[in-house]
Amino acid sequence: MFNEFIGQSVCRVIAISGLTVASLAISSNAFAIVSGQVNVGKRTATSKVGGSEKTYAADEYGAGVWLDPIPLVPVAFGASMLVQNWDKDDFGATTTGSELSLDVKGWLPMVPVVTPYAKLSYVLAGTILSETTGLKNKYSVTGTRANIGVLYGILPTVSVAGEFGTGSQQIKVDETTVAGVKVSASSPSYDWKTTSYAVGVNVGF
């Protein structure tokens, strides 16, 4: 009877251990040397121009690739690109934007079920182009973004992602074109505070 009890206990321990390892492997991208992620979401921004604060909204699409160069250290380095379609009514014109950034990404690989992560981004090149009849304004965007999110594994190297982010940036007019003629219109920089949320898919290689 004692041997039977010991045998059953060992089997339970092995089963629990196997399930735990399997859940960790599925929920974590710790074993991926390279990972890529695509997102779709919303972004809002607030800025004070001329003393009055205004809020802007956009649909946002993003993609990024990161390299984990040190085995068993959950830190990756890479780059990401964001593309925005800003609400026409907010800018009073058809407005698009893009941001290219360098990223540092870290995650907690030993959390069951999901993998929490954080990402800090420095904007290398950010542009917003606003265009209406006879008038174009080109804005530059600089600064940083910080994001937190979770990955939920659906396959060993494929996860769905949910992400929330904030940005501390500056925006200014770099160029104005009137009736096809470029006008020097560089302006002071204004604070450009952003908030975003997105869902996506992450794949590890």
Side-chain angles (χ1 to χ4, degrees):
M1 182 177 294
F2 179 76
N3 289 337
E4 182 179 351
F5 173 76
I6 293 296
Q8 292 176 348
S9 299
V10 170
C11 289
R12 289 193 187 99
V13 170
I14 292 173
I16 292 172
S17 299
L19 289 173
T20 301
V21 170
S23 66
L24 288 175
I26 291 175
S27 67
S28 171
N29 62 352
F31 304 108
I33 298 175
V34 178
S35 62
Q37 187 167 317
V38 293
N39 287 341
V40 58
K42 297 284 188 178
R43 179 172 294 267
T44 59
T46 57
S47 185
K48 285 186 177 181
V49 179
S52 61
E53 185 174 89
K54 189 172 181 180
T55 300
Y56 307 84
D59 295 322
E60 184 171 75
Y61 310 90
V65 177
W66 304 277
L67 172 67
D68 178 8
I70 308 173
L72 302 180
V73 177
V75 177
F77 305 90
S80 58
M81 171 65 80
L82 300 177
V83 176
Q84 299 119 0
N85 289 323
W86 292 94
D87 192 313
K88 182 177 180 179
D89 293 334
D90 292 341
F91 277 89
T94 301
T95 306
T96 58
S98 63
E99 292 180 19
L100 174 65
S101 65
L102 292 179
D103 308 327
V104 178
K105 185 178 181 181
W107 60 94
L108 298 176
M110 299 307 293
V111 177
V113 183
V114 298
T115 301
Y117 67 88
K119 182 175 61 180
L120 180 63
S121 304
Y122 173 75
V123 180
L124 284 178
T127 301
I128 294 177
L129 182 61
S130 176
E131 182 174 359
T132 189
T133 304
L135 177 64
K136 294 181 182 180
N137 281 317
K138 183 179 179 181
Y139 304 81
S140 62
V141 179
T142 57
T144 59
R145 299 190 311 269
N147 294 68
I148 58 173
V150 293
L151 300 175
Y152 177 76
I154 55 177
L155 292 171
T157 58
V158 179
S159 302
V160 293
E163 189 172 294
F164 172 81
T166 60
S168 179
Q169 299 167 315
Q170 292 76 44
I171 184 173
K172 70 173 184 176
V173 178
D174 277 348
E175 183 182 282
T176 297
T177 302
V178 180
V181 179
K182 291 184 180 180
V183 178
S184 178
S186 183
S187 73
S189 295
Y190 297 95
D191 288 338
W192 183 249
K193 304 295 185 182
T194 64
T195 301
S196 64
Y197 61 89
V199 294
V201 176
N202 184 285
V203 179
F205 303 95

